[in-house]
């Protein structure tokens, strides 16, 4: 048995190893650790910030299969954690909060309260840039760009008009407060728009679709009619305020 101290994020790799980010206090210093639990149940420490080193608390974490490394979000930056004994490196963001840097190197770009992270099989990184009301992508060459959102928050009582087929160009639609993100096997990027209680899908050609939720949050639970276990159209279903997302293989 191994006690954990304030776990903040988890990730899973293809081999079934579970990674846990945790905050702990040692000798009066706040320490960030990343630990790995193998399929046999043995836990080891993959990374521990040295005493006095300000490696930020992990907000979200994913395993990048293209490089065999972990990616984490913390303190307005995305970090790559190569493994035991190697210090994390910044792959996106700076020590300045804000917005900027699209179509340039991600390590020089500004992020504002990023809160969600996903990665595809090619190593492209997707970031929920929460307080910029954008979804941003860092490609394998390290270039960042916006793939959804305008940077202006959509009014919660007056969402941007979506055509009848519920399709739109992703970078022309204002977004409400955002939550989790995931990449589907077909390359579509899924994200939760918590402000409207809907799930959106960005296609590889930049089209935004609503794929679940009815723009009417159900604060009690997702329901169709009177039966919470009933099935029906995802677009006509009320869902609670969505948070984390994952996509099956």
């Amino acid at each position: 048995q191994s006690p954990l101290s304030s776990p903040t994020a988890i990730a899973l790799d293809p081999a079934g190893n579970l990674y846990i980010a945790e905050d702990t206090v040692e000798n009066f210093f706040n320490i960030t650790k990343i630990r790995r639990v193998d399929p046999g149940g043995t836990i080891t420490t993959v990374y521990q910030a040295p005493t006095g080193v300000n490696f930020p608390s992990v907000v979200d974490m994913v395993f990048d299969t293209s490089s065999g490394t972990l990616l984490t979000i913390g303190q307005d930056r995305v970090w790559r954690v190569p493994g035991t004994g190697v210090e994390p490196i910044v792959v996106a963001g700076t020590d300045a909060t804000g917005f900027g840097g699209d179509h340039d190197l991600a390590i020089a770009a500004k992020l504002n309260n990023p809160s969600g992270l996903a990665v595809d099989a090619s190593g492209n990184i997707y970031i929920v840039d929460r307080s910029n009301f954008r979804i941003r992508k860092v490609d394998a060459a390290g270039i960042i760009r916006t793939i959804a959102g305008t940077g202006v928050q959509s009014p919660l009582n007056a969402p941007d008009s979506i055509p009848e087929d519920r399709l739109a160009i992703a970078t022309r639609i204002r977004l409400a407060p955002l939550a989790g993100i995931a990449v589907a096997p077909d390359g579509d990027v899924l994200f939760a728009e918590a402000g409207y209680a809907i799930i959106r899908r960005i296609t590889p050609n930049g089209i935004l679709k609503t794929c679940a939720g009815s723009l009417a949050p159900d604060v009690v639970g997702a329901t169709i009619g009177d039966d919470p276990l009933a099935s029906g159209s995802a677009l006509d279903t009320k869902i609670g305020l969505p948070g984390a997302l994952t996509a099956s293989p």
Side-chain angles (χ1 to χ4, degrees):
Q1 293 184 350
S2 181
L4 297 175
S5 175
S6 301
T8 60
I10 61 173
L12 196 67
D13 71 16
N17 295 299
L18 173 66
Y19 297 86
I20 306 168
E22 62 174 329
D23 291 336
T24 187
V25 177
E26 295 183 5
N27 298 322
F28 304 103
F29 285 95
N30 292 322
I31 302 293
T32 298
K33 291 183 180 180
I34 298 176
R35 308 178 82 180
R36 180 178 60 225
V37 181
D38 67 25
T42 300
I43 189 168
T44 55
T45 298
V46 174
Y47 174 75
Q48 176 174 328
T51 299
V53 172
N54 185 30
F55 183 70
S57 177
V58 175
V59 175
D60 198 12
M61 177 168 64
V62 292
F63 188 85
D64 178 9
T65 58
S66 70
S67 64
T69 61
L70 288 165
L71 294 167
T72 72
I73 280 182
Q75 210 172 54
D76 292 323
R77 283 172 280 190
V78 178
W79 305 74
R80 188 179 300 279
V81 183
T84 305
V86 182
E87 286 302 304
I89 58 174
V90 176
V91 296
T94 69
D95 58 1
T97 299
F99 173 75
D102 266 3
H103 308 290
D104 207 339
L105 289 174
I107 56 173
K110 293 180 182 179
L111 304 173
N112 193 347
N113 189 28
S115 59
L117 193 61
V119 63
D120 65 21
S122 299
N124 297 301
I125 302 167
Y126 302 88
I127 306 166
V128 174
D129 199 354
R130 184 179 177 88
S131 294
N132 281 324
F133 302 99
R134 298 172 185 257
I135 304 296
R136 301 177 80 181
K137 175 183 177 179
V138 180
D139 65 23
I143 303 300
I144 191 170
R145 63 186 176 92
T146 296
I147 61 169
T150 66
V152 177
Q153 180 178 0
S154 180
L156 296 184
N157 61 348
D160 280 357
S161 175
I162 300 293
E164 288 300 318
D165 58 2
R166 304 194 188 194
L167 304 181
I169 297 174
T171 53
R172 295 183 182 177
I173 296 295
R174 295 176 297 175
L175 301 177
L178 304 168
I181 191 168
V183 181
D186 62 2
D188 285 2
V189 178
L190 305 168
F191 66 93
E193 201 168 349
Y196 291 143
I198 57 176
I199 307 301
R200 304 269 208 180
R201 178 186 292 267
I202 311 167
T203 66
N205 59 353
I207 298 299
L208 186 68
K209 303 178 181 180
T210 301
C211 55
S214 63
L215 292 174
D218 185 339
V219 297
V220 176
T223 60
I224 301 174
D226 295 325
D227 183 358
L229 300 180
S231 60
S233 170
L235 291 172
D236 295 326
T237 302
K238 292 181 180 181
I239 59 177
L241 298 177
L245 288 181
T246 189
S248 62

